[in-house]
Structure formats: C-alpha cells, structure tokens
Amino acid sequence: MPIPCQERYSRQILFREIGPEGQARLGKARVAIVGCGATGSAIAGLLARAGVRSLRIIDRDYVEPSNLQRQTLFEEADAAESLPKAIAAARRIAAFNSEISVEPHVADLTPSNAPDLLSGMGLIMDGTDNFETRYLINDFAVRENVPWIYTAAVGSYGVAMNILPGETACLACIFPESPRGTVETCDTSGILNSAVNLMASISSTEALKLLVGARAKLRKTLLSYDVWSNDHAEVSAQRPRQGCRCCGQRDFIHLAGEGRPHITLCGRNSVQIHESHRPVDFAELTPRLTPHGQVRHNDFVLKFWRDPYELTVFPDGRAIIKGTTDTAIARSLYARFIGN
C-alpha cells in the first residue's frame, strides 16, 4: 500500500525552512544527476528520499565489487550481474520511493547528446569523475542559464561549489584549465566513504535550498574539506571572474566538442571507446565471441574476457576495455572482436 505523502515527508515538513510549501516545490522539481558512482549515487538517494519529483540519472558505467564500499545504491547482486549503474540505481530508488519518477540513461554525456539529456531540468548535479565532463556540464548550464552543483571526493578530501549562471563564478572562472600533471583518482589514492557522504550531503542540502526557493541561503564559495586531517577552506565564488572564457566571453568550446577525444581513458586501467549510434546485437555477437573467450550478457551489457583483457560492450556500441591504458591496443581489440 502506498505511503501517504504527508506521512512520508512529515519530519522534513516539520523543518520550518522547508514546510508544506517547500515540500510541494520539491514534488514538482526535475533534477539531472550526471554520473552515478560514489557522490552521484549518494546524491540520488538523498534527493529521492527527500521527495524530488523527477530524477534523470545519466551514467556510462556498470557496477563492480570495488564500488560497494562507497556507492550506496548498489548491492552484491548488481555487481555480479554487471548491471549499468543508472539501471541499478533506478531499481533501488523505486524500492524505497515508488512515488517519484526516475529516468535511467546508460550513456556517456557528450557534446552531441548533452542538449537532449540535460534539457528541461531545473538543476544539474555533478556525480562525475573527470573535468572533461564537468566542463561540458558547465558550458551547457551557463548557455542555458541552468544552475548546477560541482561535487568531487577522493582520498579523504572533498570539494563542492554551487554554480548559478550570471550570478556566481562558473567552473571555468575557478579552473580556467583542467588540472595538469598527476591528478589523484580513486584508483590511485583510494577513497573514504565518509568523505563521499559528507560532500554528497553538503551538495544535496544546497540542492534542497535552491529547489525550495531559499536562494539567499545558498553558499557562494568553493568549499574543500579533508575528513582525515580536519583541514577545510573556502574560496570566494561570489561573482563571475572578469574575462572568463565561458560565462564572460560565452565561448562554449566543450559544448562544441573541441578537443574531446574519440577514445578516452576512464581510470582503473581501462580505456573507453565512444561508438555512438552503432547498435550491437548481443544475441548475434555472443556466438561469434564464444570461441575466443568467456562471454555473458544481460539486456544491458555484454562482458567478454580474453586474458588479460576484459571488454564490456553496451547496446549503443560504446565499450570499456579493461586491462590496458594503451588506446592503440584498445582500438585493436575493439576492431578485432566487435568490428570496425
């Protein structure tokens, strides 16, 4: 039997800064979450439980055992099936809040599909793991005047910043160029689930403020916090930086696709190959691959193991080749087993 809305959200409605009017606003809100890994899954769970009416979850990846330590919407069965994270997240959310709408999109956000995937949203939440995608979100959000919230966590450290186009600094104001040199990742430096949950909680709270109309309460700084050392700092993002490429000059190079590689490294000793609009028939491909290695598939992904490599193929033709960071090897494996 469905739980009455007033009962489900009663403790949140009692919080006077939200109240019945704020809860009603949440019940009409539409939010896109780009990336459903550690921070993305935590944010999705918090906003779903808070009663945000519609969530659009966009993620290119699948669940693995190493995700379970910190990615709160997934279980062992999801990892065993290699379920796409967007699908697994939508299923889990439906189990605890069937009243809201969740749209899972198993896709890599790119310049070509960003307008379709992000249009119509009142807020965009960052759950990604790379600046390439964040700059793309930033370009779209600034061009379309849509607020978004940058969130990241690695090791024991996390950062968060609200971007309100035309009002606060955008991501390109603070980071004119992507960080260069050695950049920490979860695969090289590990990650504490407490750091993830802290930053997801902070960003989700900022999202609630924005969605209920409490814009005066929004933080206008880049906040960083290290849960292990207790160091924390804030950098002002009160207003746009003069001469910013994105929000000042309105030069949306990332949305135009300039400099975006056809093949990208995606961490964990893997290479992602973008092959959009190339449908793959798993039932037809499986018997072709079987003589060459171990194969299994479900409706969402096909997994092919040929030692020392693992290929994960999605229905749209995109693939993640695990076991190498050499793009030439990855492309060769794709061409040999999936096709040119």
Side-chain angles (χ1 to χ4, degrees):
M1 179 180 294
I3 300 171
C5 182
Q6 289 294 108
E7 181 181 346
R8 179 187 291 273
Y9 305 117
S10 60
R11 301 307 186 268
Q12 189 164 277
I13 291 171
L14 283 171
F15 180 64
R16 62 183 181 182
E17 299 288 348
I18 293 181
E21 182 180 345
Q23 192 64 50
R25 289 192 178 198
L26 293 178
K28 299 176 182 177
R30 293 170 59 81
V31 176
I33 301 171
V34 183
C36 195
T39 54
S41 62
I43 288 168
L46 289 167
L47 295 185
R49 290 184 185 276
V52 171
R53 179 69 187 92
S54 178
L55 297 177
R56 181 175 294 169
I57 299 176
I58 305 155
D59 191 279
R60 67 189 183 183
D61 210 350
Y62 57 92
V63 183
E64 295 185 289
S66 63
N67 301 150
L68 302 178
Q69 166 256 352
R70 65 197 179 281
Q71 299 185 17
T72 54
L73 289 179
F74 310 132
E75 294 185 348
E76 290 180 357
D78 301 323
E81 290 186 56
S82 299
L83 273 184
K85 292 180 180 180
I87 300 295
R91 289 181 178 179
R92 184 56 35 75
I93 290 170
F96 65 73
N97 193 345
S98 59
E99 296 177 352
I100 68 170
S101 170
V102 182
E103 299 175 35
H105 291 268
V106 184
D108 185 28
L109 190 74
T110 65
S112 62
N113 67 19
D116 288 336
L117 291 175
L118 300 180
S119 291
M121 299 290 107
L123 172 65
I124 302 169
M125 302 297 291
D126 167 32
T128 70
D129 60 1
N130 66 89
F131 266 83
E132 177 184 294
T133 306
R134 290 182 180 122
Y135 281 129
L136 176 58
I137 295 170
N138 190 66
D139 274 11
F140 177 86
V142 171
R143 190 186 74 176
E144 301 299 322
N145 195 33
V146 179
W148 75 283
I149 299 178
Y150 160 52
T151 315
V154 65
S156 59
Y157 172 84
V159 295
M161 183 175 76
N162 302 322
I163 292 97
L164 309 175
E167 184 178 340
T168 68
C170 77
L171 187 71
C173 289
I174 305 297
F175 302 104
E177 295 185 2
S178 180
R180 299 183 182 278
T182 302
V183 178
E184 288 188 328
T185 70
C186 297
D187 297 281
T188 60
S189 300
I191 187 166
L192 295 181
N193 55 22
S194 53
V196 169
N197 289 334
L198 172 65
M199 302 320 297
S201 295
I202 288 172
S203 290
S204 296
T205 304
E206 295 299 302
L208 293 182
K209 293 178 191 177
L210 191 146
L211 295 173
V212 303
R215 292 179 73 96
K217 298 290 187 180
L218 288 167
R219 192 189 69 256
K220 296 182 179 180
T221 64
L222 172 69
L223 170 69
S224 62
Y225 202 104
D226 190 312
V227 297
W228 198 260
S229 68
N230 297 311
D231 293 331
H232 53 91
E234 293 186 73
V235 175
S236 176
Q238 185 77 25
R239 56 184 59 85
R241 303 290 196 261
Q242 192 170 23
C244 172
R245 180 270 307 166
C246 180
C247 64
Q249 301 172 10
R250 301 189 68 79
D251 182 11
F252 304 121
I253 59 173
H254 298 278
L255 197 55
E258 296 179 24
R260 182 181 177 87
H262 181 67
I263 304 173
T264 60
L265 300 180
C266 63
R268 64 178 190 213
N269 193 30
S270 301
V271 174
Q272 178 181 206
I273 296 180
H274 306 274
E275 289 284 8
S276 59
H277 310 299
R278 181 200 175 137
V280 175
D281 184 333
F282 292 163
E284 184 275 332
L285 183 59
T286 296
R288 289 202 290 114
L289 293 177
T290 300
H292 305 286
Q294 181 184 351
V295 189
R296 66 175 172 84
H297 75 268
N298 53 36
D299 291 340
F300 310 107
V301 294
L302 179 146
K303 304 273 288 187
F304 171 57
W305 291 268
R306 182 177 173 85
D307 193 55
Y309 306 109
E310 174 188 299
L311 281 71
T312 302
V313 185
F314 297 85
D316 62 358
R318 187 170 54 85
I320 295 174
I321 290 81
K322 189 174 183 180
T324 183
T325 57
D326 187 321
T327 57
I329 291 175
R331 170 56 73 195
S332 175
L333 288 166
Y334 188 94
R336 179 179 176 187
F337 294 111
I338 311 304
N340 289 310

